[in-house]
Amino acid sequence: MKITSGNPTQNNVTDSRAPHIVVALAALAQETRLHLYRLLVQAGPAGQVVNQLIEAMQIPSATLSFHLKSLTHANLIVPHSEGRFIRYRADFTAMHGLIDFLSENCCGSERSRCAPAGNDASETATSSCSKGHCV
């Protein structure tokens, strides 16, 4: 689907997901946030509390807070209050939605043609995380 801007009554083919996708990609287009997001994806459904993230990232709490806010605003992570602590988790449904959006028309919708030659890494990655949930 072609993503265009302009008047929706024109003959443009638009995708209502595009604004959300742009916000998510913009949030990930910064090195610290990308590293933080990947850290939360690696943590799986358990996520991590702020103190764990500060220790792992080696950045000041104010800087971490700024980046967590950006990722939360992009709906890529979800905060959960646990008493005095806040636990952040990657939103795996949103992650898979972003991946699906980016690859839905890959190779003319014949995804099997898009796999890297001689590399089963993509198959391994999808088998460890089913749609929306890490297994």
Side-chain angles (χ1 to χ4, degrees):
M1 222 176 259
K2 184 177 178 187
I3 300 171
T4 61
S5 61
N7 187 343
T9 60
Q10 296 175 346
N11 291 331
N12 295 337
V13 177
T14 60
D15 189 320
S16 62
R17 299 172 296 171
H20 302 287
I21 298 296
V22 169
V23 170
L25 291 173
L28 294 172
Q30 198 280 338
E31 189 174 351
T32 302
R33 280 193 295 273
L34 181 60
H35 180 69
L36 176 59
Y37 182 69
R38 291 187 61 169
L39 184 66
L40 288 170
V41 168
Q42 288 173 342
Q48 291 194 344
V49 294
V50 171
N51 289 343
Q52 293 172 310
L53 294 170
I54 290 171
E55 186 176 321
M57 296 287 296
Q58 294 294 302
I59 58 176
S61 60
T63 303
L64 178 67
S65 178
F66 171 78
H67 292 302
L68 288 169
K69 181 179 175 184
S70 293
L71 291 170
T72 302
H73 174 73
N75 295 313
L76 291 169
I77 64 173
V78 180
H80 296 276
S81 293
E82 295 180 357
R84 298 182 340 177
F85 301 99
I86 299 176
R87 181 174 300 275
Y88 286 88
R89 296 180 175 98
D91 183 332
F92 291 101
T93 302
M95 180 184 77
H96 287 289
L98 181 60
I99 292 167
D100 288 347
F101 177 85
L102 293 172
S103 61
E104 70 186 8
N105 294 322
C106 179
C107 297
S109 297
E110 294 179 39
R111 288 186 179 184
S112 61
R113 294 180 16 201
C114 299
N119 185 354
D120 293 333
S122 62
E123 190 175 314
T124 303
T126 53
S127 66
S128 63
C129 273
S130 66
K131 200 109 162 134
H133 303 293
C134 275
V135 208

